[in-house]
Amino acid sequence: MIGILLIVYAGLEHAFEVDHLLAVNNLVTNRTKIKEAVKDGIYWGVGHTLTIFVVGILMIGFKVAVNKHVFSYLEATVGIMLIGLGIYRLLKLFKKNIHSHTYSHKHSHSHSTGITHSHLHSHTYSHSHSNVILNHEHPTNLNNFKAAFSIGLVHGLAGSGALVVLVLTQMQSALQGLIYIFIFGIGSILGMFLASGLFSIPFTKSFLKSPKLQFTLVIISSLLCIVYGFKVVYENLFA
């Protein structure tokens, strides 16, 4: 039992790695409800666990050898993904939504001949506002959950190499190794569940009332994501 708890703790700790936190933090800045944010975290964790488990089956069960340089390229892919996430969030932040509204009305007038005519008029007006936080946006939850799941898949692919190698050196059988990975994955889901909930608190409707402060937090989060993404790319491709 203690061994299982230690594996869960290892997975939970793994979820709190910097690149994981930056990615999920960018996701939850779109949320105004903690309930939706923690679902993002769960979807990330499921995607992450699925990839690691599949790689584990290939390397442990089918003895597929993967060159360590491949995992360096995958880590660089995570860096590119972080850069993309940060840039996308910044673009979304400053994007203008133009809403056009059309209304019609009819009026009548009479000529000197006594003939009455009716005319239908249409008027269009528009206004714009900045997408500072989710309060001003209407994304579908399904798309956000798909994004969280996809990001988890990429993170799992990048981090699976070191984990599987560790399992291979410590586990006595393939089945034992796969069970370890599965329990580790449960821990990572739990960890991201907690992290996404905590990170979403500043963006809930009841916590911070200042749109300017939320705007600033999104800017900081996005820039950190971009800077760290460049760091990951440099370390894995050029260092």
Side-chain angles (χ1 to χ4, degrees):
M1 184 63 184
I2 294 177
I4 293 176
L5 291 176
L6 288 174
I7 297 172
V8 170
Y9 174 78
L12 192 152
E13 186 179 38
H14 176 73
F16 280 80
E17 291 184 0
V18 177
D19 57 327
H20 300 164
L21 295 181
L22 286 173
V24 173
N25 186 44
N26 263 263
L27 283 173
V28 301
T29 58
N30 282 315
R31 300 300 194 181
T32 56
K33 295 180 181 179
I34 295 179
K35 179 178 69 174
E36 299 298 331
V38 296
K39 286 182 182 179
D40 285 334
I42 292 172
Y43 274 82
W44 180 95
V46 171
H48 180 270
T49 301
L50 178 62
T51 305
I52 291 180
F53 196 72
V54 170
V55 173
I57 290 175
L58 292 175
M59 294 183 66
I60 298 174
F62 293 95
K63 311 297 182 183
V64 175
V66 181
N67 192 299
K68 64 179 182 179
H69 295 297
V70 172
F71 290 106
S72 293
Y73 295 136
L74 292 175
E75 289 285 352
T77 302
V78 170
I80 294 171
M81 179 185 69
L82 291 175
I83 295 169
L85 274 174
I87 293 174
Y88 175 76
R89 190 66 184 98
L90 288 175
L91 291 175
K92 196 173 182 180
L93 185 67
F94 295 107
K95 184 181 178 181
K96 300 286 186 179
N97 281 344
I98 305 297
H99 297 279
S100 295
H101 304 274
T102 303
Y103 66 92
S104 302
H105 69 89
K106 183 167 65 175
H107 68 84
S108 303
H109 67 272
S110 299
H111 295 276
S112 57
T113 58
I115 300 175
T116 300
H117 294 278
S118 295
H119 299 273
L120 183 66
H121 292 270
S122 295
H123 301 272
T124 301
Y125 66 94
S126 63
H127 69 275
S128 64
H129 60 267
S130 297
N131 285 331
V132 178
I133 52 176
L134 181 64
N135 303 44
H136 301 140
E137 302 169 4
H138 307 281
T140 61
N141 284 335
L142 182 60
N143 287 337
N144 280 277
F145 294 148
K146 284 181 178 178
F149 179 77
S150 300
I151 292 169
L153 286 175
V154 176
H155 268 132
L157 196 61
S160 59
L163 174 63
V164 173
V165 170
L166 176 65
V167 170
L168 283 171
T169 59
Q170 296 189 2
M171 300 296 111
Q172 297 177 350
S173 67
L175 179 61
Q176 191 178 23
L178 292 175
I179 291 174
Y180 178 97
I181 292 174
F182 180 75
I183 297 173
F184 180 91
I186 293 175
S188 67
I189 294 173
L190 177 60
M192 197 48 68
F193 171 87
L194 296 173
S196 58
L198 290 173
F199 280 133
S200 69
I201 291 175
F203 302 94
T204 57
K205 293 178 181 178
S206 58
F207 190 78
L208 287 182
K209 302 295 184 181
S210 171
K212 289 184 179 180
L213 184 53
Q214 289 187 335
F215 182 90
T216 302
L217 289 175
V218 174
I219 291 284
I220 293 173
S221 171
S222 301
L223 290 178
L224 285 174
C225 203
I226 293 170
V227 170
Y228 193 81
F230 275 111
K231 177 178 179 293
V232 172
V233 172
Y234 174 78
E235 289 178 346
N236 286 278
L237 294 183
F238 304 107

